[in-house]
């Protein structure tokens, strides 16, 4: 019997696999046994009610999608009265995700939704900071740390900082949120991208710019997970392009303690369950007693130090 | 990617209302120069579909293409007796080109049944359906549903030219009276269709309308429903991400009775909406 248990930033999980924020909703329960997941991560909410951006909202690429949804949100009361009760009945810990326009609003919202049915709060810091001309909080170590400190000051729940990959040095942001008290980092949100229709000479997304997700982004995010894991002591949750159990193992070898699956849930609703089964078989086959042993178990070339990996001669 | 090969075994029916149905292709033949009919053997969960619902189809990889996202396809035929589902489609892009490559015996992974379909008020006596293009496919099962509830069905089918008209046989087999109009004959303009419907209504009062596939037909259906004070529903089509209400990509503005507009998901809140709710799509 393989022990799949992991503890991530104060949250005890039966296995290391969970959905990425925004990749499941109530409809998933019509096909999938949500009780089997390591945790249930909810879609990001904001303090206010939002409709999201203008359609079209998705463009398809080979093994990737470019989405721009704009966080439609029904606000915190809907979360507490409808979403949390719906998902809490399945058993796995429920992780809320929040976003706001200022660090203080992040703090207030974290306090407002603090509730025994919520196991941790993910801070989606890939959104624009209105105090910094719309630059994402996660693009600046100071602003990212401010968000985490504001949340920590308002709640005792563990805080997971979900980083944006749209930075030059993600390890720096990971260190900043760790210093601010984050209990885990999630690496990462979507990669900024753009699509154009040559025939109509117009953008393919209503919002012009969107986030690239899906299997094609895996090598980029895998590298970032590895950089974060080497930079911080708190657990790193890998998220980006995971489709199979083999991808999960790769992320854990790179340093992740758990993973999130996003876009793949849209294509294969069974992706998470199948990944859990695959990882179990892998551990059995490799005589690995505890899945947690995989974290950081990558066998690196001995003659290369991590600084050298930071800048590859291309 | 090899996910298809390890697709989830179908959930025990009665436990999960929707599933990734592993279907097998029976036939996939062209019906005319534009449309193809894909018939598959489907498991029980798939056969629980009703009119207006859809399936999210995993398109097979071809030598040159691998559509990443699934493609929504409204259900054209629900044949519980023979355990089959039918999809009527027009090859318009990558996804439908890939579907056209399916051969008898091939597996088709079809997630569903999905969405909220048509609901016919109890006691409905005469349903009028107006559709154009591939929208016809969506209304065929409604004709069966209406007949089964004891209602009479009149279907007005519109097309560019007579050779592009589809579903006449399917609708007649379902027990509908079928009226064809087309652009070449010049009897498909909205005003002509409205006049036709007025005559039909004068003869046998229409107490429910349904439409799909054209903004102009939606407009005239909405007007007549409001004039005659009868309910009407429209099946909306949209490009989708997930098909399950999770990604919020396929939203359309929907208006409630107070005139308040909200972006709703075609895949989960629809695809069937009241004609008065949908502004444009
Ligand atoms: C449609 C869609 C909606 C998303 N919504 C959110 C969200 O509300 N909050 C968030 O932190 N990330 C959101 N994400 C990002 C995902 O959680 C995830 O970080 C990203 O998709 C990368 O993982 P993947 O390649 O497995 O999809 C969304 C992604 C998609 C595709």
């Amino acid at each position: 019997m393989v022990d799949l248990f992991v503890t991530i930033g104060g949250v005890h999980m039966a296995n290391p696999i969970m959905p990425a924020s925004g990749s499941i909703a109530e409809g998933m329960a019509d096909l999938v046994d949500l009780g089997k997941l390591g945790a249930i991560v909810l879609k990001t909410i904001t303090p206010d009610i939002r409709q999201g951006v203008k359609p079209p909202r998705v463009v398809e690429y080979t093994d990737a999608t470019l989405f721009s949804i704009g966080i439609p949100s029904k606000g915190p009361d809907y979360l507490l009265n409808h979403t949390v009760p719906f998902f809490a009945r399945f058993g796995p810990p429920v992780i809320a995700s929040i976003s706001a326009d200022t660090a203080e609003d992040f703090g207030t919202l974290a306090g407002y939704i603090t509730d025994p049915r919520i196991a941790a709060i993910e801070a989606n810091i890939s959104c624009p900071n209105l105090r910094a001309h719309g630059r994402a909080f996660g693009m600046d170590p100071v602003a990212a740390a401010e968000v985490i400190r504001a949340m920590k000051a308002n709640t005792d729940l563990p805080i997971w900082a979900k980083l944006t990959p749209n930075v030059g040095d993600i390890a720096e942001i990971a260190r900043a949120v760790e210093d601010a008290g984050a209990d885990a980092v999630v690496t990462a949100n979507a990669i900024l991208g753009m699509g154009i229709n040559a025939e109509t000479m117009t953008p393919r997304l209503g919002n012009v710019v969107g986030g690239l997700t899906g299997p094609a982004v895996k090598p980029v995010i895998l590298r970032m997970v590895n950089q974060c894991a080497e930079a911080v002591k708190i657990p790193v949750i890998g998220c980006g392009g995971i489709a199979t159990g083999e991808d999960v193992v790769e992320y854990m070898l790179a340093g992740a303690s758990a993973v999130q699956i996003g876009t793949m849930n849209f294509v294969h609703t069974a992706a998470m369950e199948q990944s859990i089964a695959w990882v179990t078989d892998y551990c059995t086959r490799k005589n690995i007693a505890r899945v947690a042993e995989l974290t950081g178990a990558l066998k690196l070339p001995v003659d290369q130090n991590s600084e050298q990996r930071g800048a590859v001669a291309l | 990617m090899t996910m298809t090969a390890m697709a989830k075994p179908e959930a025990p029916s009665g436990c999960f209302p929707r599933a990734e149905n592993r279907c097998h292709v029976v036939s996939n033949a062209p019906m005319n120069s534009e449309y193809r009919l894909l018939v598959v053997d489907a498991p029980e969960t798939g056969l629980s579909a009703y009119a207006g619902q859809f399936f999210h189809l995993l398109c097979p990889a071809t030598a040159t293409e691998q559509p990443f996202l699934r493609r929504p396809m409204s259900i054209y035929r629900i044949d519980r007796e023979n355990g089959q589902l039918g999809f009527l489609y027009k090859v318009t892009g990558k996804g439908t080109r890939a579907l056209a490559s399916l051969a008898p015996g091939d597996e088709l992974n079809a997630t569903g049944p999905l969405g909220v379909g048509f609901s016919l008020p109890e006691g409905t006596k005469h349903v009028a359906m107006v559709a154009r293009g591939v929208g016809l496919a969506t209304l065929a099962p409604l004709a069966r549903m209406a007949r089964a509830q004891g209602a009479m069905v009149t279907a007005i089918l519109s097309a560019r030219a007579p050779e592009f008209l589809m579903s006449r046989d399917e609708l007649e087999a379902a027990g509908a009276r079928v009226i064809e109009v087309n652009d070449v004959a010049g009897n498909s303009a909205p005003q002509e269709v409205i006049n036709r419907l007025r005559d039909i209504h004068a003869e046998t009062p229409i107490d429910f309308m349904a439409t799909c596939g054209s903004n102009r037909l939606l407009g005239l259906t909405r007007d007549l429903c409001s004039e005659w004070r009868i309910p009407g529903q429209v099946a909306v089509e949209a490009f989708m991400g997930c098909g399950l209400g999770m990604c919020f990509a396929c939203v359309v503005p929907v208006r409630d009775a107070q005139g308040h507009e909200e972006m709703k998901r075609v895949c989960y809140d629809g695809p069937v909406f009241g004609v008065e709710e949908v502004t444009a799509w």
Side-chain angles (χ1 to χ4, degrees):
Chain A
M1 263 311 272
V2 182
D3 177 2
L4 292 177
F5 241 78
V6 291
T7 299
I8 309 296
V11 180
H12 303 289
M13 297 172 37
N15 66 70
I17 295 167
M18 57 191 139
S21 178
S23 75
I24 68 158
E26 284 84 342
M28 194 67 157
D30 287 345
L31 294 94
V32 168
D33 182 358
L34 298 178
K36 293 207 176 122
L37 305 180
I40 299 175
V41 185
L42 306 180
K43 179 154 181 76
T44 302
I45 61 144
T46 54
D48 51 335
I49 291 167
R50 297 185 185 182
Q51 295 280 343
V53 301
K54 219 174 81 191
R57 293 179 169 185
V58 57
V59 190
E60 177 189 55
Y61 292 93
T62 307
D63 276 355
T65 46
L66 188 67
F67 273 98
S68 184
I69 306 292
I71 312 193
S73 165
K74 291 187 169 166
D77 291 321
Y78 189 88
L79 177 90
L80 293 173
N81 298 331
H82 297 274
T83 318
V84 169
F86 181 88
F87 288 104
R89 67 196 162 101
F90 295 104
V94 172
I95 317 297
S97 168
I98 67 168
S99 186
D101 292 340
T102 65
E104 300 87 89
D105 289 350
F106 264 98
T108 310
L109 184 54
Y112 191 86
I113 64 161
T114 296
D115 182 291
R117 297 164 301 176
I118 295 177
I121 305 177
E122 204 173 88
N124 177 0
I125 54 172
S126 297
C127 55
N129 176 357
L130 292 195
R131 299 263 163 82
H133 308 290
R135 188 173 180 216
F137 294 95
M139 289 183 179
D140 170 16
V142 175
E146 270 171 22
V147 168
I148 303 305
R149 270 197 298 273
M151 289 173 71
K152 282 301 226 182
N154 282 279
T155 182
D156 290 329
L157 286 175
I159 303 298
W160 297 358
K162 183 165 179 184
L163 309 183
T164 168
N166 305 303
V167 292
D169 182 5
I170 197 155
E172 182 192 14
I173 313 287
R175 275 190 295 266
V177 296
E178 179 181 46
D179 289 345
D183 298 274
V185 295
V186 182
T187 307
N189 215 306
I191 301 171
L192 284 177
M194 183 173 177
I196 292 174
N197 181 330
E199 285 309 315
T200 59
M201 301 183 172
T202 55
R204 287 192 184 271
L205 287 174
N207 190 50
V208 183
V209 169
L212 192 71
T213 63
V217 309
K218 189 179 75 170
V220 178
I221 307 299
L222 196 59
R223 180 263 298 173
M224 291 188 167
V225 163
N226 187 240
Q227 289 175 311
C228 289
E230 289 188 351
V232 297
K233 292 195 185 61
I234 52 175
V236 177
I237 299 162
C239 175
I242 300 175
T244 65
E246 191 169 2
D247 297 334
V248 174
V249 170
E250 291 173 26
Y251 266 92
M252 293 190 75
L253 293 173
S257 299
V259 298
Q260 297 182 345
I261 297 183
T263 306
M264 219 49 209
N265 291 321
F266 302 159
V267 183
H268 284 284
T269 48
M272 293 185 292
E273 278 181 76
Q274 285 173 347
S275 296
I276 296 167
W278 197 94
V279 172
T280 310
D281 289 349
Y282 173 88
C283 290
T284 310
R285 178 155 65 79
K286 296 269 185 187
N287 264 320
I288 295 163
R290 294 172 52 244
V291 75
E293 290 168 38
L294 288 174
T295 300
L298 178 67
K299 296 174 185 164
L300 284 164
V302 286
D303 56 349
Q304 190 208 42
N305 61 36
S306 57
E307 281 75 23
Q308 263 176 295
R309 284 203 304 280
V312 189
L314 294 171
Chain B
M1 292 213 314
T2 54
M3 295 290 294
T4 322
M6 28 185 235
K8 178 190 169 184
E10 206 212 336
S13 104
C15 175
F16 291 103
R18 314 182 199 270
E20 279 189 23
N21 299 276
R22 300 178 67 168
C23 304
H24 288 94
V25 175
V26 176
S27 59
N28 186 17
M31 300 297 281
N32 62 21
S33 60
E34 291 195 325
Y35 292 93
R36 297 177 80 97
L37 175 62
L38 174 61
V39 177
V40 299
D41 280 327
E44 212 178 313
T45 309
L47 294 169
S48 69
Y50 68 92
Q53 287 191 301
F54 70 97
F55 284 80
H56 216 197
L57 308 183
L58 191 67
C59 302
T62 64
T64 49
E65 291 173 324
Q66 163 71 85
F68 177 59
L69 292 171
R70 287 173 181 258
R71 294 295 190 274
M73 194 64 70
S74 66
I75 183 75
Y76 173 60
R77 185 184 292 165
I78 308 154
D79 181 355
R80 293 198 187 93
E81 225 164 88
N82 295 302
Q84 293 181 341
L85 294 173
F87 302 97
L88 184 69
Y89 64 101
K90 185 172 168 179
V91 176
T92 52
K94 212 197 222 185
T96 41
R97 265 199 306 277
L99 285 181
S101 75
L102 284 168
D106 285 352
E107 182 173 304
L108 173 72
N109 180 316
T111 301
L114 300 174
V116 180
F118 290 102
S119 64
L120 212 53
E122 223 174 290
T124 300
K125 290 198 178 62
H126 186 192
V127 174
M129 317 193 313
V130 285
R132 186 169 167 96
V134 88
L136 306 168
T138 311
L139 297 184
L142 176 63
R144 281 191 195 275
M145 179 170 151
R147 293 294 296 140
Q149 288 190 27
M152 177 186 157
V153 178
T154 304
I156 299 188
L157 309 183
S158 169
R160 289 204 317 278
E163 63 269 30
F164 297 127
L165 267 168
M166 287 298 312
S167 333
R168 175 173 201 125
D169 297 347
E170 189 81 8
L171 282 159
E172 278 177 345
R177 170 165 66 136
V178 179
I179 298 164
E180 297 183 346
V181 297
N182 64 74
D183 302 356
V184 175
N187 56 1
S188 59
Q191 197 48 55
E192 298 264 348
V193 176
I194 290 173
N195 294 343
R196 264 300 209 353
L197 283 162
R198 284 193 194 287
D199 292 345
I200 295 164
H201 185 64
E203 227 171 75
T204 317
I206 296 164
D207 53 5
F208 183 89
M209 285 189 73
T211 185
C212 182
S214 147
N215 257 325
R216 291 197 307 177
L217 293 181
L218 169 60
L220 75 84
T221 303
R222 187 192 297 119
D223 291 347
L224 289 177
C225 284
S226 120
E227 183 185 321
W228 296 336
R229 298 175 191 281
I230 59 167
Q233 293 183 335
V234 54
V236 175
E237 290 166 339
F239 191 77
M240 291 178 187
C242 70
L244 282 160
M246 310 197 290
C247 78
F248 287 81
C250 64
V251 294
V252 290
V254 170
R255 202 174 20 192
D256 66 17
Q258 284 73 46
H260 171 77
E261 236 178 49
E262 197 185 329
M263 299 302 272
K264 292 222 169 162
R265 296 160 290 186
V266 171
C267 71
Y268 194 74
D269 303 308
V272 174
F273 294 97
V275 286
E276 72 291 348
E277 290 182 306
V278 181
T279 38
W281 52 280

